[in-house]
Amino acid sequence: MSRSIVRQSKFRHVFGQGVKAEQGYDDIRVSKVTWDSSFCAVNPKFLAVIVESSGGGAFLVLPLSKTGRVDKNYPLVVGHSGPVLDIDWCPHDDNILASCSEDCTAMVWQIPDHALTRPLSDPIVVLEGHSKRVGIVTWHPTARNILLTAGSDNLIIIWNVGTGEPLISMDDHPDLIYSISWNRNGSLFCTTCKDRRLRVCDPRKREVVAERLAPHEGIRPMRAIFTRDGNIFTTGFTRMSQRELGLWDPTNFEEPIALLELDTSNGVLLPYYDADANMVYLCGKGDSSVRYFEITEEPPYVHYLNTFSSKEPQRGMGFMPKRGVDVSKCEIARLYKLLDKKCEPITMTVPRKSDLFQDDLYPDTAGPEPAMEAEEWLDGRDEDPILVSMREGYVPPKSRELKVAKKNVLESRPTTRRSMSTLDTNSLPPQLLERLLEEIQNLKATVLSQEKRICDLENKLSQYTNGTA
């Protein structure tokens, strides 16, 4: 008697679940600009959404705890004179956000820890170097203050935002750039372009090191992201307009590692990658579902896991960094789905019976400390992200002010913080260790209670100002 063999994977039973209505964010006027970006960016402190705005471009920044209805007079981040097209949180400082716009500029903002009380109109640095609208902005994964922008002038510029000056400019693309993704250590990035080519670029050599014509045969926009193994995951369309995904080895672009047809739809598939679980979440604009896949070293290499479906189509999506998920609930990912007038968090969970910390689900993940300075990266150094343990849950660090000057006056890189799981606890007396752990728990509880109190007071203030109290 033959038995079918089921593939072993701890992520086979991941399931998605929408949060309760009161845990979402309502009355948000999501931007209607025709641009294929996610319109949303999220980190362990804040949710940022590009919104409709008269007289220029604006986006909304909310503390994650400020759920419920958003007041129509809630202060926005304004400063761009044209619609905002893309936003991205800095991976090394949860209070720093970059934005780009149709006004041909990119801007970097310092967001205060508390909720905004008045519109924020003064960026800490304005980056001017493009001659047409700027549609892509993305931070370097491991080097401090390195920011990449790409515009409709087909130009890619890499900036040091600590000095506000451009470091590298590349004009290798003959047409509109659809997407850009850094690899894990930031030594390379891959791009997709309207000329139907997938390129791998070395920015410090200012050259294209590999390229492939038409990884997907259709003429509609493609997307590409680097995986942790150095392969490239792509989404695009077939000649018959069917949506398709592919996995490629950039050292051998002749044949794909995997190529899989999905369905027939017009929406561009936006891929969001979890490097720790080696999973990809595909969110199509105009779709009402999120498909997720696991990438492995065994055929067929890209394994379909499941689909999360809801009633309303999505306008955009935000993806929480791994250090912002709830480890106590075995949550491995959290997405923020943008609808016409609201934002709904979606949690992705692995069902487990035990309440203990699940080591196999949470390997050490990229932390908020940069691995090197901008000058070191420019001189040719490469470093993987500095990892932190998820065992104690993630507590956002205090905000650091980003100072901008012609000479970089940022403080020297702080020493690497070691997580509790890597400390040599045997060198501490048991009583002292017990006291330290107890004090840490008490401080965490105090911080949580104060955040809740602040949120309650802000809601009361909002009610008084609106005359609804």
Side-chain angles (χ1 to χ4, degrees):
M1 186 176 75
S2 64
R3 288 187 301 176
S4 61
I5 299 174
V6 177
R7 186 179 70 91
Q8 292 297 313
S9 169
K10 51 183 172 279
F11 302 114
R12 256 191 338 121
H13 301 292
V14 171
F15 68 95
Q17 190 171 19
V19 300
K20 296 177 181 176
E22 61 268 19
Q23 293 174 304
Y25 306 85
D26 293 328
D27 287 352
I28 298 175
R29 297 166 300 170
V30 179
S31 173
K32 292 183 172 59
V33 67
T34 54
W35 186 256
D36 283 328
S37 82
S38 57
F39 290 167
C40 179
V42 64
N43 70 15
K45 282 187 180 181
F46 299 104
L47 168 71
V49 180
I50 301 174
V51 294
E52 284 288 290
S53 172
S54 56
F59 55 92
L60 173 73
V61 178
L62 294 169
L64 287 187
S65 58
K66 195 170 180 59
T67 55
R69 188 178 68 83
V70 178
D71 186 84
K72 64 179 181 180
N73 296 318
Y74 192 88
L76 302 176
V77 181
V78 294
H80 286 288
S81 58
V84 178
L85 299 179
D86 196 17
I87 50 178
D88 192 31
W89 287 105
C90 177
H92 309 128
D93 189 333
D94 287 340
N95 294 72
I96 298 292
L97 178 74
S99 63
C100 61
S101 163
E102 285 191 3
D103 64 8
C104 308
T105 68
M107 296 182 180
V108 180
W109 307 84
Q110 176 109 25
I111 308 298
D113 277 327
H114 56 79
L116 292 176
T117 54
R118 58 185 180 82
L120 183 61
S121 57
D122 296 320
I124 49 177
V125 62
V126 179
L127 307 174
E128 298 176 312
H130 291 278
S131 59
K132 294 184 179 179
R133 66 181 179 179
V134 187
I136 297 172
V137 61
T138 179
W139 292 91
H140 191 283
T142 60
R144 189 198 301 270
N145 293 343
I146 295 290
L147 181 70
L148 181 151
T149 61
S152 295
D153 52 4
N154 311 332
L155 194 64
I156 294 173
I157 302 178
I158 296 175
W159 309 80
N160 179 350
V161 300
T163 60
E165 295 173 340
L167 302 177
I168 295 166
S169 181
M170 296 181 67
D171 58 358
D172 302 275
H173 295 74
D175 214 327
L176 180 67
I177 301 165
Y178 286 139
S179 71
I180 296 181
S181 169
W182 292 98
N183 67 353
R184 186 162 174 80
N185 66 5
S187 58
L188 304 169
F189 59 79
C190 65
T191 68
T192 58
C193 180
K194 196 173 182 181
D195 69 353
R196 299 173 60 213
R197 288 183 182 270
L198 168 64
R199 293 176 173 86
V200 179
C201 303
D202 185 329
R204 288 168 298 190
K205 292 181 180 177
R206 295 170 173 78
E207 66 181 22
V208 177
V209 295
E211 65 179 306
R212 157 85 195 201
L213 174 62
H216 302 282
E217 293 185 345
I219 60 172
R220 292 185 57 75
M222 295 183 295
R223 289 287 186 276
I225 53 172
F226 263 110
T227 69
R228 69 183 184 196
D229 305 318
N231 293 326
I232 297 176
F233 181 92
T234 61
T235 66
F237 293 81
T238 66
R239 201 187 297 268
M240 304 301 291
S241 291
Q242 279 195 299
R243 293 197 292 196
E244 188 176 49
L245 59 84
L247 187 64
W248 305 82
D249 178 357
T251 62
N252 179 18
F253 265 146
E254 294 302 315
E255 290 293 326
I257 300 172
L259 201 61
L260 179 66
E261 288 186 10
L262 292 179
D263 58 9
T264 303
S265 179
N266 291 328
V268 176
L269 284 170
L270 305 178
Y272 296 91
Y273 180 61
D274 177 356
D276 299 332
N278 217 11
M279 287 175 60
V280 177
Y281 300 84
L282 296 184
C283 311
K285 281 211 165 184
D287 291 4
S288 56
S289 61
V290 178
R291 295 181 181 89
Y292 38 106
F293 299 78
E294 184 179 2
I295 300 173
T296 68
E297 296 178 354
E298 304 87 33
Y301 305 106
V302 180
H303 302 268
Y304 169 75
L305 294 175
N306 210 334
T307 300
F308 169 81
S309 298
S310 54
K311 294 177 182 177
E312 298 182 66
Q314 57 229 14
R315 297 283 310 283
M317 192 72 71
F319 190 71
M320 174 69 78
K322 183 56 74 76
R323 54 194 173 89
V325 302
D326 189 344
V327 298
S328 62
K329 296 178 180 175
C330 293
E331 180 185 46
I332 62 163
R334 193 184 313 149
L335 297 102
Y336 286 74
K337 176 179 175 177
L338 288 188
L339 308 174
D340 279 334
K341 291 276 181 79
K342 61 183 176 179
C343 176
E344 292 181 348
I346 301 167
T347 63
M348 296 290 176
T349 308
V350 178
R352 291 284 170 95
K353 292 181 180 178
S354 171
D355 291 333
L356 299 175
F357 178 75
Q358 307 293 316
D359 292 272
D360 60 324
L361 297 183
Y362 301 107
D364 287 356
T365 191
E369 291 298 336
M372 55 187 161
E373 300 296 327
E375 296 78 13
E376 294 174 308
W377 176 78
L378 194 61
D379 289 340
R381 183 175 164 192
D382 292 323
E383 292 285 348
D384 283 342
I386 295 176
L387 304 181
V388 295
S389 170
M390 298 283 288
R391 181 174 290 275
E392 295 297 324
Y394 174 71
V395 179
K398 283 178 133 186
S399 64
R400 299 184 296 268
E401 186 177 353
L402 177 64
K403 301 171 186 172
V404 178
K406 281 300 170 189
K407 249 186 135 79
N408 196 340
V409 295
L410 292 178
E411 66 274 83
S412 58
R413 185 171 77 253
T415 54
T416 305
R417 288 183 302 193
R418 297 163 64 199
S419 63
M420 285 298 293
S421 63
T422 60
L423 285 175
D424 182 10
T425 53
N426 294 328
S427 62
L428 293 174
Q431 298 89 347
L432 177 59
L433 179 62
E434 196 173 324
R435 254 186 295 134
L436 284 172
L437 290 172
E438 186 179 350
E439 189 173 347
I440 288 170
Q441 295 300 329
N442 290 339
L443 285 170
K444 284 184 179 178
T446 304
V447 169
L448 287 173
S449 65
Q450 294 298 335
E451 284 183 351
K452 186 176 184 305
R453 175 67 176 153
I454 289 170
C455 192
D456 291 341
L457 290 172
E458 285 173 348
N459 288 336
K460 281 186 181 178
L461 180 62
S462 177
Q463 289 175 356
Y464 279 116
T465 55
N466 293 332
T468 57

